[in-house]
Amino acid sequence: MLGPPMLASPALRTLLRAPWTLRRLPGLTLWLDAQLSSLRQNSDGTISAAADGDPVGYGQDLSGYGNHPIQATAGFRPLLQLGANGINGLPCLLFDAVDDFLRVTFGAALSQPVTVYVGCSFGSTAAYRYAVSRDAASDFSLYAEITTGYVAIVNGLTVTSTTAASGVQMVSVVANGASSTIRRNGAQIASGDSGTNTLSGVTVGASYVGTSPLGGKMFMLAVYAGAHSVAQQQLVEDYYKARGYWSS
């Protein structure tokens, strides 16, 4: 005889009804989203950035760990872009290829493996344009080398793709020593050994010293402790594809 049906707890029922977000994947340490994050003009989190062209000096970390990227210098802040100035009509941050960047240092450095997702466009034609790098040393970077058209990561050693860095990029990097990979817009474009360095924080939109800044737009950045599988990476890709930020 079958017993009574098992009833899910209220918390589980709420979780099952909730829409899928990046919080469902393990290891989330930082999640910046141009549409969902609370963006502020000042680095102390005051004055909402809500209008097209507003400077962004503070981006809310949606991971829940308080890793909010900030920029204390007013002239170095990216600009919020809305409507026709956004990406496919959706909100994004515009980095000016001169001096714009945000930065956060984590409470504890992340050892490899680490998975990093970046959604952006590289609009500048300069030799190197960094989408993300470490906060205080040049041992982790994701950049586009426009001169050769390659997307590459550096994490002690270099893993370079032969895929052009043009258009809207949905890039995921698994930094995992000899098993490191780069995916772009739903397909793996490189693999190799990226070394063993840790990630103690991130500089968003430039190198760790603020040079070779991104000339383009960014709609998301997420950092996870651990190596995400291809299936997990596809969940993040599909999440932003469904929202209209990119298409294959």
Side-chain angles (χ1 to χ4, degrees):
M1 179 177 179
L2 296 176
M6 296 293 290
L7 298 178
S9 68
L12 179 57
R13 290 198 298 271
T14 299
L15 178 62
L16 293 174
R17 287 196 303 266
W20 193 93
T21 76
L22 272 63
R23 293 194 190 96
R24 295 287 187 96
L25 295 179
L28 184 59
T29 301
L30 165 63
W31 178 21
L32 177 65
D33 185 296
Q35 187 174 39
L36 301 179
S37 293
S38 177
L39 304 176
R40 304 290 175 173
Q41 296 189 36
N42 295 337
S43 59
D44 61 1
T46 60
I47 308 180
S48 176
D52 185 53
D54 278 350
V56 176
Y58 171 102
Q60 179 194 17
D61 170 25
L62 297 173
S63 76
Y65 286 101
N67 292 315
H68 311 299
I70 65 170
Q71 175 53 261
T73 303
F76 293 175
R77 294 168 182 164
L79 303 180
L80 177 62
Q81 303 284 273
L82 302 174
N85 291 325
I87 294 178
N88 297 327
L90 298 168
C92 64
L93 301 183
L94 174 65
F95 293 81
D96 67 0
V98 178
D99 50 22
D100 290 351
F101 65 90
L102 303 171
R103 177 172 290 156
V104 60
T105 299
F106 301 148
L110 299 180
S111 299
Q112 292 192 54
V114 175
T115 304
V116 178
Y117 297 89
V118 181
C120 68
S121 64
F122 293 99
S124 172
T125 57
Y128 293 94
R129 290 302 177 191
Y130 285 81
V132 60
S133 62
R134 193 178 158 181
D135 62 325
S138 57
D139 57 9
F140 185 95
S141 303
L142 169 64
Y143 64 88
E145 185 181 350
I146 302 298
T147 301
T148 56
Y150 299 164
V151 177
I153 59 170
V154 175
N155 193 39
L157 302 174
T158 304
V159 179
T160 305
S161 77
T162 55
T163 300
S166 60
V168 178
Q169 315 276 321
M170 186 68 220
V171 179
S172 58
V173 171
V174 177
N176 188 22
S179 300
S180 297
T181 60
I182 308 175
R183 284 175 60 87
R184 175 190 178 273
N185 292 358
Q188 183 172 308
I189 58 173
S191 62
D193 190 344
S194 68
T196 60
N197 291 321
T198 62
L199 187 61
S200 59
V202 293
T203 300
V204 185
S207 73
Y208 77 103
V209 291
T211 57
S212 300
L214 174 65
K217 300 175 180 180
M218 185 176 296
F219 58 89
M220 67 82 64
L221 168 68
V223 178
Y224 288 83
H228 279 183
S229 66
V230 170
Q232 289 171 320
Q233 292 174 73
Q234 288 172 335
L235 287 172
V236 177
E237 294 163 356
D238 290 347
Y239 175 75
Y240 280 97
K241 180 186 285 187
R243 288 174 53 190
Y245 272 108
W246 75 279
S247 59
S248 53

